[in-house]
Amino acid sequence: MRATLIPVVLVLAAACICAKEEPPALQLEVPTETRSRFAALDDVRLLANGLLQLGQSLREFVQKTKGQINDIFQKLNIFDRSFYQLSVLASEIKEEEEELKKTTVVLKANNEEIRGLSEEISSKMDSILQEKSRLQEKVEGLEEKLRSLSHGLVTSEQVAEINGLRGVIHSQEQSIGELLKAVREQSDQLNHQRSKIKILEEKLTANALAQDTMERIPEIFNAEAPTLTPYLTPSSTDSARTMNLPPDCSELFNRGERVSGVYAIKPNGSEPFMVFCDMSKDHGATVIQRRRDGSVNFDQTWETYENGFGDFHGEFWLGLRKIHSLACQGNSVLHIQLEDWKQDKRFIEYRFHLDGPRNNYTIHLTHLSGNLPDSMSNHTGMMFSTKDRDNSNHQDSNCAHQQAGGWWFNTCGDANLNGRYFHMRPKWRSERRRGIQWKLGRKGSYSLKFTQISVRPVASPSIASSSFEPSVFL
């Protein structure tokens, strides 16, 4: 019994010992349970700020990516429309070219046939002339016989022979007259056919040029315009020569210069720079813009329009800064010359002033003379606009971006001489509005072939309207 109790007692004793030793173990675990399960406030704030900044960055990145994707889709849509229009125009040009080639082949065949007839008629005419000369010799011989027999009697046989010869000669003269008339008609037909062939050849050349231009349109529209010569620095010209530079092309004309070309000028209060002077009239004019072949893309940025771009010997825009320095000399006349695709030329003149860069080069115009409708009356008092700086009064769209060129737009207005250059009339009205246009009343706008804008002092003689052919643009 004792033997069995001893193990039980030992177990109870061990349990008591363990029970007594448990409190210290609990005391060691208390600190771990009383420690805070939350991070420090500074750590929470630091983590929250980091998360906010990360969220803001992600939001900005998403918005920027969306804008870039939308811009890419817009450009792709524009490119698809332009490519479709170009393909349609190219197919039409090819069809017209094939028809013109067929017509040219027919006309050339007709020309060869007419040439053969003309040669045959010429040979017949030569034989008739020879026969006529022989008859004239016979008549002269008979006249000699008549003179020898003038003192004697003329027999009836001789009289009949003479009358017969006279009848033959008369009939031969009538035949010769008819042949000459036929030859003249054949010659007229030949000239008419040649003129037709020449017109067709010109059309073929024009179509080939137009097709080549249409193929180069994406390159021209996407190309950066060449920069014009900037202001001349003191290192490029000596001070004495700079002091002697004229303020504009009109003064060069007064000094005796009569050849149109590129010259250096120095307007009052400005650095010297190069310009193109038009000396073709009875005065000198400083050209600030010219369009003639579509070789330069005029859909440029604000900075490019300020500094000027293009080629003085081709198409160019002088630059708003330089135009402003010319206008600041006071009493300036703005001369605008336009030419359509039928070689009809017209012009208009304004009293002209241009504000500086602080006012975004606001233009002020007063109509003076000319045989063009005043389409700039809606633009006076307007600031200059480009595709990257819209200063127009149109709230719903950017006129410079919509009409593809910098100008003094109001609500996209009645005139834009810096639009796209079209060799062929676009089918769509929206595309036509992007061209070089000048509104002509009820007839609407018309894409022009040639434009030139120049500035001269008001004291210079005016250009008489007789120097331009009176015409109506179609």
Side-chain angles (χ1 to χ4, degrees):
M1 185 71 177
R2 289 180 179 175
T4 57
L5 290 172
I6 289 172
V8 173
V9 172
L10 290 173
V11 170
L12 291 176
C16 291
I17 292 170
C18 291
K20 290 179 182 179
E21 290 178 355
E22 282 181 0
L26 291 174
Q27 288 177 1
L28 291 174
E29 293 178 358
V30 167
T32 58
E33 290 182 358
T34 57
R35 287 180 63 183
S36 176
R37 292 177 298 172
F38 301 100
L41 184 59
D42 291 339
D43 295 337
V44 172
R45 287 177 179 174
L46 182 62
L47 180 62
N49 289 332
L51 291 173
L52 286 174
Q53 291 178 0
L54 178 61
Q56 186 68 23
S57 300
L58 289 173
R59 182 179 179 182
E60 291 176 355
F61 177 74
V62 169
Q63 290 177 351
K64 183 177 180 181
T65 305
K66 285 183 178 179
Q68 291 176 349
I69 292 172
N70 292 332
D71 190 21
I72 290 170
F73 278 123
Q74 290 177 0
K75 290 181 178 179
L76 286 174
N77 291 331
I78 294 171
F79 177 78
D80 289 339
R81 288 196 298 270
S82 301
F83 183 77
Y84 175 73
Q85 295 170 6
L86 290 173
S87 62
V88 172
L89 290 174
S91 62
E92 292 178 355
I93 291 171
K94 287 182 179 178
E95 291 176 359
E96 292 180 359
E97 186 176 356
E98 291 297 329
E99 292 178 359
L100 289 172
K101 286 181 178 178
K102 293 177 182 178
T103 309
T104 303
V105 171
V106 174
L107 289 174
K108 285 183 177 179
N110 293 336
N111 189 18
E112 293 295 331
E113 184 178 356
I114 292 170
R115 187 177 297 171
L117 291 173
S118 178
E119 292 176 355
E120 184 179 354
I121 291 170
S122 298
S123 63
K124 288 182 178 180
M125 189 173 174
D126 291 337
S127 63
I128 291 170
L129 290 173
Q130 291 175 2
E131 187 176 354
K132 181 182 177 182
S133 63
R134 287 195 299 269
L135 290 172
Q136 284 179 348
E137 291 176 357
K138 288 183 179 181
V139 170
E140 290 175 356
L142 289 173
E143 288 178 351
E144 289 292 334
K145 289 181 180 181
L146 285 173
R147 280 195 294 270
S148 64
L149 296 173
S150 60
H151 298 288
L153 295 175
V154 180
T155 63
S156 60
E157 294 178 355
Q158 290 175 341
V159 172
E161 186 179 359
I162 291 170
N163 291 331
L165 288 172
R166 286 178 178 174
V168 171
I169 291 171
H170 182 68
S171 63
Q172 292 292 339
E173 287 179 350
Q174 287 181 347
S175 299
I176 291 170
E178 291 176 357
L179 284 172
L180 289 173
K181 183 179 179 181
V183 169
R184 282 194 295 268
E185 291 178 354
Q186 293 292 339
S187 178
D188 293 338
Q189 289 183 2
L190 279 174
N191 292 331
H192 183 63
Q193 294 289 346
R194 286 171 183 169
S195 63
K196 279 187 176 180
I197 290 172
K198 185 177 180 181
I199 291 171
L200 288 172
E201 288 176 349
E202 291 177 353
K203 284 185 178 180
L204 283 173
T205 304
N207 283 339
L209 177 63
Q211 186 173 359
D212 180 65
T213 304
M214 294 300 293
E215 292 174 354
R216 293 192 308 110
I217 278 177
E219 299 177 3
I220 294 175
F221 287 168
N222 296 326
E224 291 292 334
T227 304
L228 282 181
T229 305
Y231 289 97
L232 302 178
T233 58
S235 60
S236 61
T237 179
D238 59 295
S239 59
R241 186 176 179 182
T242 302
M243 293 297 293
N244 195 33
L245 288 176
D248 56 21
C249 295
S250 177
E251 178 62 25
L252 269 172
F253 187 89
N254 294 336
R255 294 182 185 182
E257 195 65 56
R258 294 294 183 272
V259 180
S260 298
V262 181
Y263 296 90
I265 65 171
K266 186 181 184 304
N268 298 332
S270 170
E271 295 295 326
F273 53 88
M274 306 300 292
V275 295
F276 186 91
C277 295
D278 183 4
M279 306 293 192
S280 60
K281 305 298 184 296
D282 53 354
H283 63 274
T286 307
V287 181
I288 64 174
Q289 185 257 34
R290 184 168 59 210
R291 310 290 301 279
R292 68 180 188 182
D293 55 14
S295 59
V296 175
N297 178 17
F298 272 64
D299 189 14
Q300 299 295 328
T301 61
W302 178 270
E303 182 181 1
T304 309
Y305 265 99
E306 260 196 327
N307 298 326
F309 57 87
D311 181 7
F312 280 129
H313 299 287
E315 296 189 336
F316 68 91
W317 172 263
L318 182 60
L320 291 168
R321 293 181 184 275
K322 299 173 184 177
I323 299 171
H324 170 63
S325 64
L326 289 168
C328 282
Q329 298 182 121
N331 295 327
S332 297
V333 173
L334 190 74
H335 179 87
I336 299 175
Q337 178 183 344
L338 307 179
E339 181 180 345
D340 68 3
W341 289 91
K342 294 187 177 181
Q343 286 73 47
D344 294 329
K345 300 177 182 179
R346 302 176 77 177
F347 81 101
I348 193 168
E349 290 186 336
Y350 296 93
R351 182 71 63 85
F352 167 65
H353 181 72
L354 189 69
D355 292 344
R358 290 185 178 180
N359 294 329
N360 293 318
Y361 302 101
T362 300
I363 193 171
H364 304 278
L365 299 172
T366 303
H367 180 254
L368 293 177
S369 62
N371 52 12
L372 269 172
D374 181 13
S375 296
M376 288 294 290
S377 59
N378 189 35
H379 296 257
T380 185
M382 295 306 302
M383 295 180 287
F384 198 83
S385 294
T386 59
K387 61 183 179 182
D388 59 336
R389 185 180 293 190
D390 181 24
N391 295 316
S392 64
N393 286 337
H394 204 297
Q395 298 179 354
D396 299 330
S397 64
N398 183 339
C399 295
H401 178 73
Q402 178 180 340
Q403 297 194 5
W407 194 251
W408 294 275
F409 293 107
N410 189 348
T411 52
C412 296
D414 300 329
N416 176 20
L417 301 184
N418 288 338
R420 286 186 177 179
Y421 192 98
F422 292 119
H423 288 86
M424 297 181 63
R425 180 180 174 87
K427 291 186 175 181
W428 293 271
R429 183 179 178 184
S430 59
E431 191 68 15
R432 289 198 298 269
R433 286 185 60 83
R434 298 167 71 87
I436 307 171
Q437 59 173 327
W438 188 277
K439 192 172 182 181
L440 302 171
R442 296 179 181 177
K443 295 187 178 181
S445 58
Y446 178 85
S447 187
L448 299 167
K449 176 183 179 182
F450 174 85
T451 71
Q452 179 171 296
I453 308 175
S454 57
V455 178
R456 61 179 174 83
V458 71
S460 299
S462 299
I463 301 175
S465 59
S466 60
S467 62
F468 294 93
E469 299 176 2
S471 58
V472 177
F473 285 7
L474 301 177

